[in-house]
Amino acid sequence: MSMFETISEQQLHGGIQGFYRHHSDACDGPMRFAVYQPPQAAQRACPVLYFLAGLTCTEETATIKAGAQRLAAELGLVLVMPDTSPRHTGIDGATGDWEFGEGAGFYVDASAAPWSMHFRMRSYVADELPASIAAHFPVDVERSGISGHSMGGHGALTIALAHPARYRSVSAFAPIVAPSQVPWGRKALPRYLGADPKAWADYDACELVRRQTFPGVILIDQGEADQFLEAQLKPELFDQACAESGQALLLRRHPGYDHSYWFIASFIDDHLRHHAEALDLM
Amino acid sequence: MSMFETISEQQLHGGIQGFYRHHSDACDGPMRFAVYQPPQAAQRACPVLYFLAGLTCTEETATIKAGAQRLAAELGLVLVMPDTSPRHTGIDGATGDWEFGEGAGFYVDASAAPWSMHFRMRSYVADELPASIAAHFPVDVERSGISGHSMGGHGALTIALAHPARYRSVSAFAPIVAPSQVPWGRKALPRYLGADPKAWADYDACELVRRQTFPGVILIDQGEADQFLEAQLKPELFDQACAESGQALLLRRHPGYDHSYWFIASFIDDHLRHHAEALDLM
């Protein structure tokens, strides 16, 4: 990892909203991400919350639409919002399908050609990005949390369950919890990981939580008017897996809310407080 | 005015974020606008705040980027965010220039051909839109406020000063206050209104406030790192005009903030509270 470039930095809520680009070894190419530094970061290292976006999104989506910075500025929480996949990979078939490829990295380390050349978002988000953040921003890496939406909720849950010592807190909005069992996952995982479902289990929150629990309550918010609830999300499967494995889970169902960022904006403050508590900010 | 169409409605902060389209007689064509109804609007008529966006923006811009709905939901304030001009007018030269034409209506009633056929945003925002809002949403029209950003700040100031009895409160972010004297206005006003500067005065806040003051404090926030501050905005001209005419003005200058919606998001809560106080919500 060498190149690190500031695309823009603007003042927001007394802190700095920035967009950056760096070279990723994991993805073998440039990656973009957004960082919000609260005012407190000018004085001291602050805890950090990673927020992973969903299908079709970029590093701009949650940055612009979630409205997380206002309370992050109050709490003293750094926000990191990466892109959802490598871009401009040149791989045939990597663009043009909103459910697979660019914009749809599913936070896996692809093992199947040609995707394994670039689509290694698990390593990027769990290893490489945090190292770069630690090198360039005033963060207290011992106090890290992770959250996300939809495919990004799947990313947050699976990364936290795979690396429970790295994160003190995890939450998700309308996450994909059982990709091995739903159309989005059944379409993407075989192409990224091969046809053997055993390989998919490392990227399936319902499977992972049966192997190892997370030391803390997992917060999940789900809108009941979510157009993807029944076919793709199935939070009841994760509820059941957590119950069976002894994982503490707070699953909240909200009547009337859909899958959009309006839903996220409505409950983002609750998630920030959930993380702030685990990160010793409250 | 006949056609009224709901494009979408989604739940947000316990209320409803909607996008709508209706026919405008003033603009002789369809116009889009966004309305946020806070939870209180399900029970009773609520005060209403109009927010006018700036150059290049649509009804989506402030709706998505300003982050106003969170506090509006707490206060019980309806938010109305119209588009910045008629669209698809078919007028030669109406597109392709971000400073003039579609997306740049300057909240004037154009008197010069061919713009006078469609570009009548003063009448649309001050007369026709409020009538349509009153007909279709639970608003207390006696309690209306108006705000805006940049060109939309110019719109808010000039409409409030032209109709001081219709609005109980007015505020602006980084407004154009003296279009007759700055490049944006000197480019747009002659084409919309003709070459005689006398016609421009009806759309120049510095001129209007010398004719008639607004019965209440005008709140203006201005970022000191605003890239348009010196050439286009010149808040000192409005400060001076207000001082000369006895207009109460609270002009706040914020070091480090630029012209973007990050600046608006940083201070939108202060503006909502400014309006809520005048609208008897606090």
Side-chain angles (χ1 to χ4, degrees), chain B residues 129-154:
Chain B
L129 179 61
S132 182
I133 295 295
H136 292 96
F137 298 91
V139 295
D140 177 358
V141 294
E142 299 300 314
R143 294 193 286 164
S144 298
I146 190 163
S147 182
H149 170 234
S150 194
M151 177 185 75
H154 146 78

Side-chain angles (χ1 to χ4, degrees), chain B residues 146-182:
Chain B
I146 190 163
S147 182
H149 170 234
S150 194
M151 177 185 75
H154 146 78
L157 293 173
T158 53
I159 289 171
L161 287 165
H163 300 290
R166 295 192 194 173
Y167 303 93
R168 287 210 205 164
S169 50
V170 57
S171 74
F173 294 85
I176 304 168
V177 297
S180 309
Q181 303 180 52
V182 304

Side-chain angles (χ1 to χ4, degrees), chain A residues 4-194:
Chain A
F4 180 94
E5 184 189 346
T6 299
I7 298 167
S8 65
E9 291 189 330
Q10 295 170 273
Q11 195 156 296
L12 171 61
H13 293 301
I16 301 165
Q17 179 61 60
F19 289 92
Y20 309 91
R21 178 168 38 213
H22 60 177
H23 174 79
S24 163
D25 291 335
C27 297
D28 195 21
M31 291 291 295
R32 285 173 180 249
F33 59 97
V35 177
Y36 177 67
Q37 300 181 61
Q40 296 86 342
Q43 308 297 329
R44 60 176 184 272
C46 292
V48 55
L49 175 64
Y50 292 84
F51 188 95
L52 309 181
L55 290 167
T56 77
C57 294
T58 73
E59 73 285 0
E60 290 189 334
T61 315
T63 303
I64 292 172
K65 292 185 170 181
Q69 297 96 338
R70 188 193 62 87
L71 186 56
E74 274 185 35
L75 295 167
L77 188 58
V78 171
L79 302 174
V80 179
M81 296 174 174
D83 199 356
T84 56
S85 80
R87 303 282 174 177
H88 311 293
T89 58
I91 299 176
D92 192 36
T95 59
D97 182 346
W98 70 281
E99 296 175 315
F100 182 80
E102 298 185 17
F106 275 88
Y107 303 98
V108 303
D109 281 353
S111 53
W115 313 105
S116 53
M117 289 192 297
H118 295 291
F119 286 78
R120 302 188 66 243
M121 287 297 288
R122 165 71 72 86
S123 290
Y124 174 70
V125 171
D127 302 324
E128 192 173 18
L129 179 61
S132 182
I133 294 295
H136 292 95
F137 298 91
V139 295
D140 177 359
V141 294
E142 299 299 313
R143 294 192 286 165
S144 299
I146 190 165
S147 183
H149 171 234
S150 194
M151 177 185 77
H154 146 78
L157 294 173
T158 54
I159 289 172
L161 288 165
H163 299 291
R166 295 192 195 175
Y167 303 93
R168 288 210 204 164
S169 50
V170 56
S171 74
F173 293 86
I176 303 169
V177 296
S180 309
Q181 302 179 53
V182 303
W184 275 335
R186 304 280 294 197
K187 175 177 176 178
L189 296 185
R191 293 181 72 183
Y192 285 132
L193 303 169

Side-chain angles (χ1 to χ4, degrees), chain A residues 10-11 13-14 255 257-258 266, chain B residues 10-11 13-14 255 257-258 266:
Chain A
Q10 295 170 273
Q11 195 156 296
H13 293 301
Y257 286 93
D258 65 15
S266 299
Chain B
Q10 294 170 272
Q11 195 156 297
H13 293 300
Y257 286 94
D258 67 14
S266 298

